[in-house]
Each structure stands twice: as C-alpha cells, then as structure tokens.
C-alpha cells in the first residue's frame, strides 16, 4: 500500500490525474477526520482537505522517499494546512459560549415543539393541547417532552416560578378533563 501512495505521487508529478484520484478515493475520509480534529468544524476540515489536494497536486514532485513515507507526506500537508487555518483565524466564526448555549437551547425547544406538530392531526392529545394558550402548551411540552424542571421552564419562558408551576398544573388539569 505504501508503494501505491508513492506511485500515486509520482503520477501527480507527471500530471496524471489518476494518481490524485487514487489518493482521494483511498484517503479523503480519513484526511477530513484528521483535519476536523484540528479545526473542530466539518466545513473548515473539508476546505483544509481541498486546499491540501491542490498542494499535493502542485508539489508532488517535491516528495522524496528518503525523507519518509508518501502517506506520511500527504498527512503532513493536511495537518499543516489545518494548523495554518487555525493560526490564520480569519476563516473562523468565533461564537461566544453564551451565544452557543442560546443557539443550542433554541434548537432544543424547536425540537420539543416539533413533537407537538408531529402528532397525528386527528389525535385526541393534539386536539386537547391545541386548546391551551401557546405559552402554557410550550411549558407542558418542555416539562414532559424535554424533561425541563419548573425552574428551567420559568427561566426559558421568562416567567416567575410560581406562575410557571400554576400554569403547568392548571394546563395538566385541563388536559385530563379534555382527554376524559
């Protein structure tokens, strides 16, 4: 296999695209994984590997077997490209921890609300939930689908804890009556 990579680099140096194709088909997935471990984002890892393949194509003539394996040379290019991208920092979209938490939270709440929308249109539970005011319905879904505590729900809905507890209690009472 090591000879295959050396031969592929030799083909690249001669302008034969089959060499580059062999490297891509054989190693692209692993190269992306290596780059992703360094840059921590799939989209940036793919960009790193794309740039690395351009570098491999243009610089294949510089590979010398005496200095190491062909596969090692290929991985070194990807690693160096990934590290350069981190040092460059211009392509990184920095997101604060608070903003990231907020984005993840919004996504989780959307997932919870989607569970209500996925209920069968003719389901009794859906009909009963739809009679509740939206904030109360959201609170109940957050508690019973998302597993949030009353305090977490109060914080996320920006309501006092007592109000949240009573809304959920009354909402559940209404649901029991409706379902009976």
């Amino acid at each position: 296999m090591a000879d295959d990579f050396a031969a592929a680099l030799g083909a690249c140096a001669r302008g034969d695209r089959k060499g580059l194709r062999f490297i891509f088909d054989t190693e692209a997935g692993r190269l992306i994984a290596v780059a992703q471990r360094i840059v921590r984002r799939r989209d940036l890892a793919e960009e790193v590997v794309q740039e690395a393949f351009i570098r491999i194509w243009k610089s294949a003539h510089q590979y010398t077997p005496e200095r190491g394996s062909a596969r090692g040379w290929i991985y070194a290019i990807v690693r160096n490209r990934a590290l350069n991208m981190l040092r460059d920092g211009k392509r990184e979209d920095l997101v604060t921890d608070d903003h990231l938490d907020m984005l993840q939270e919004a996504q989780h709440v959307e997932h919870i609300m989607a569970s209500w929308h996925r209920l069968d249109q003719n389901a009794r539970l859906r009909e009963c939930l739809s009679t509740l005011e939206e904030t109360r319905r959201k609170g109940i879904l957050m508690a019973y689908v998302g597993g949030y505590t009353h305090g977490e729900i109060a914080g996320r809905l920006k309501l006092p804890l007592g109000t949240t507890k009573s809304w959920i209690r009354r909402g559940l009472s209404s649901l029991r009556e409706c379902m009976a």
Side-chain angles (χ1 to χ4, degrees), residues 69-144:
S69 74
R71 189 169 187 238
W73 187 81
I74 292 165
Y75 276 80
I77 289 175
V78 170
R79 181 181 171 281
N80 291 337
R81 287 279 166 209
L83 292 172
N84 286 345
M85 183 174 280
L86 283 181
R87 279 189 288 264
D88 182 18
K90 294 176 186 167
R91 294 187 181 134
E92 248 183 274
D93 297 327
L94 297 177
V95 177
T96 64
D97 287 343
D98 291 341
H99 187 64
L100 182 61
D101 289 343
M102 192 173 68
L103 291 173
Q104 289 172 335
E105 180 63 34
Q107 188 177 31
H108 191 245
V109 171
E110 282 179 31
H111 176 70
I112 292 168
M113 296 311 293
S115 66
W116 177 65
H117 294 293
R118 285 191 305 266
L119 283 173
D120 182 1
Q121 292 293 328
N122 299 320
R124 184 81 178 135
L125 180 58
R126 182 181 174 84
E127 181 182 321
C128 292
L129 279 169
S130 66
T131 64
L132 298 175
E133 187 265 325
E134 183 182 357
T135 306
R136 295 173 190 211
R137 177 176 53 242
K138 194 175 196 178
I140 289 173
L141 290 171
M142 288 172 77
Y144 289 91

Side-chain angles (χ1 to χ4, degrees), residues 7-69:
L9 287 176
C12 289
R14 293 187 306 276
D16 184 354
R17 292 182 183 179
K18 290 178 189 170
L20 194 63
R21 171 54 80 190
F22 171 80
I23 297 168
F24 182 84
D25 290 344
T26 308
E27 295 296 309
R30 286 184 283 270
L31 292 171
I32 289 173
V34 167
Q36 190 169 350
R37 271 186 244 126
I38 296 169
V39 298
R40 304 263 187 242
R41 283 184 32 202
R42 174 72 183 207
D43 60 329
L44 292 178
E46 290 173 356
E47 188 175 333
V48 164
V49 171
Q50 180 181 357
E51 290 175 7
F53 271 97
I54 292 169
R55 171 77 189 257
I56 290 165
W57 176 254
K58 290 181 177 180
S59 304
H61 66 278
Q62 294 175 351
Y63 167 70
T64 55
E66 299 80 36
R67 296 184 67 198
S69 74

